[in-house]
Amino acid sequence: MRRVTLILAAVAAVAGAIPLVTPEAGHADQEIYVTRIPSGYRDWRLISVAHEAGELNDIRAILGNDAAVKAYRENKLPFPDGAIIARIAWKYVPSEENNKIFGREQSFVPGAPPAWYLQFMVKDSKKYAATGGWGYAQFDQKGNPADRKKMSTCYPCHEPIRGRDFLFTRYTP
Amino acid sequence: MRRVTLILAAVAAVAGAIPLVTPEAGHADQEIYVTRIPSGYRDWRLISVAHEAGELNDIRAILGNDAAVKAYRENKLPFPDGAIIARIAWKYVPSEENNKIFGREQSFVPGAPPAWYLQFMVKDSKKYAATGGWGYAQFDQKGNPADRKKMSTCYPCHEPIRGRDFLFTRYTP
């Protein structure tokens, strides 16, 4: 019993350190999550790339609109309102075509879009004040937004990187 | 002795199938290789991403100028004169910062630029007729072009993918 109390106390302490995202109803959801895909994102400039192994097992590109790329290049924090970061992920697969030509198992390329195909962070310091000024969005390969439960995991994971305005990705020249 | 002859015959057969790039002197070099970094390439749109394991061990982004992206999106072969493909590579390194937050070894990101930092393919069907209409270029992290010996390996490796206008990279939506 005492042990359970200690665990609960620890959980409460962590919960206190990480502001929980608990939108109450429709209107509150709108102020924390983004439910529409920003137009033209596929034409935005490149911020960086990454490979997430493990359960995700994807290869991804991080793009930014003009405001986001400008802020990254000028190293200005926090990012200005209007900045949007796009993250496109594809399944991480070997390229049999490339490997056959190279004569070795070397090449890994984007495969099919996964259920976590598209993510966005939209900066609006007033509208999304509850989540560090960023609204979070996720869409599957059909353009359907993720449900509220899924979206509630975004901000708590980004919160530890608060010192870089909640952005994991660093700009890669 | 007979075995050596057979091997030599096999090598000759392969050499016959892959047109060798043997520029004779200064002027001929100019017509096969590109010696200047195309301006503004870092602002170009994304074609795709990849991870090359093995000796290269890099993570890379492939960008295209407007003519190249248009040709990719419209699936038009061969690519028009003026199309340029840029390939930027960075060393493939684990992100200790991300992994610490995620609580697992998952994240691989771009590290320092390697000696094979930048590559370009520039389409000019007349100027680069000897190498399938594409001029090849490679620059290190200081902007120095690769030497002639290194550059002579570009076209023979791209030649097997002649059916897709010598382009390994597929456009990733």
Side-chain angles (χ1 to χ4, degrees):
Chain A
M1 191 64 183
R2 180 174 160 73
R3 190 172 171 187
V4 168
T5 309
L6 279 173
I7 290 170
L8 284 175
V11 168
V14 170
I18 302 174
L20 292 175
V21 179
T22 51
E24 289 169 5
H27 184 64
D29 273 347
Q30 289 297 324
E31 292 181 351
I32 296 178
Y33 306 126
V34 181
T35 52
R36 280 192 299 185
I37 295 175
S39 69
Y41 73 88
R42 188 60 183 76
D43 289 333
W44 292 351
R45 285 177 282 174
L46 180 76
I47 295 167
S48 192
V49 297
H51 164 48
E52 296 296 327
E55 282 182 29
L56 291 173
N57 202 32
D58 67 47
I59 188 162
R60 46 181 60 197
I62 297 89
L63 310 181
N65 68 357
D66 288 347
V69 170
K70 188 170 187 285
Y72 260 119
R73 289 181 178 175
E74 294 175 356
N75 206 17
K76 278 190 183 169
L77 295 180
F79 273 40
D81 284 2
I84 311 180
I85 317 283
R87 195 282 284 134
I88 316 176
W90 304 273
K91 287 181 184 171
Y92 177 78
V93 298
S95 169
E96 291 179 19
E97 183 177 61
N98 292 1
N99 292 341
K100 193 175 168 186
I101 292 171
F102 301 156
R104 51 190 179 270
E105 298 294 316
Q106 173 180 311
S107 218
F108 295 87
V109 296
W116 57 95
Y117 181 39
L118 290 176
Q119 289 183 339
F120 298 92
M121 287 175 70
V122 178
K123 192 67 181 270
D124 186 326
S125 52
K126 288 180 187 167
K127 194 172 181 184
Y128 305 118
T131 49
W134 290 101
Y136 292 83
Q138 180 172 309
F139 303 91
D140 68 15
Q141 62 280 75
K142 290 176 184 167
N144 298 318
D147 65 21
R148 189 172 129 176
K149 186 182 170 191
K150 175 77 184 168
M151 294 312 296
S152 71
T153 65
C154 297
Y155 181 62
C157 189
H158 281 260
E159 206 285 335
I161 206 104
R162 174 185 284 273
R164 276 219 314 280
D165 201 15
F166 308 95
L167 298 166
F168 282 103
T169 302
R170 293 172 181 272
Y171 182 83
T172 311
Chain B
M1 190 66 183
R2 181 175 158 75
R3 193 170 166 187
V4 169
T5 309
L6 279 172
I7 290 169
L8 285 175
V11 169
V14 169
I18 303 173
L20 293 175
V21 178
T22 51
E24 289 168 5
H27 183 66
D29 274 347
Q30 290 296 324
E31 293 182 351
I32 296 178
Y33 307 125
V34 181
T35 52
R36 280 192 299 185
I37 295 175
S39 68
Y41 74 88
R42 189 59 185 76
D43 289 333
W44 292 350
R45 286 178 283 175
L46 180 76
I47 295 167
S48 192
V49 295
H51 165 47
E52 296 297 326
E55 283 182 28
L56 291 173
N57 201 33
D58 66 47
I59 188 161
R60 46 181 61 198
I62 297 89
L63 310 180
N65 69 356
D66 288 347
V69 170
K70 187 170 187 286
Y72 260 119
R73 289 182 178 173
E74 293 176 357
N75 207 15
K76 277 189 183 170
L77 294 179
F79 273 41
D81 283 2
I84 311 180
I85 316 284
R87 196 280 285 135
I88 315 176
W90 304 274
K91 287 181 184 171
Y92 177 78
V93 298
S95 170
E96 290 180 19
E97 183 176 61
N98 292 0
N99 291 341
K100 194 175 169 185
I101 292 171
F102 300 157
R104 52 189 178 273
E105 297 294 314
Q106 173 180 311
S107 218
F108 296 87
V109 297
W116 57 96
Y117 181 38
L118 290 177
Q119 288 183 338
F120 298 92
M121 286 174 69
V122 178
K123 192 67 181 269
D124 186 326
S125 53
K126 287 179 189 167
K127 194 172 180 183
Y128 306 118
T131 49
W134 290 100
Y136 293 83
Q138 180 172 309
F139 303 92
D140 68 15
Q141 61 282 73
K142 291 176 184 168
N144 298 318
D147 64 21
R148 189 173 130 175
K149 185 182 170 191
K150 174 78 183 168
M151 295 312 295
S152 71
T153 66
C154 297
Y155 181 63
C157 189
H158 281 260
E159 206 285 335
I161 206 103
R162 174 185 284 273
R164 277 218 313 282
D165 200 16
F166 309 95
L167 297 166
F168 283 102
T169 302
R170 293 172 181 272
Y171 182 84
T172 311

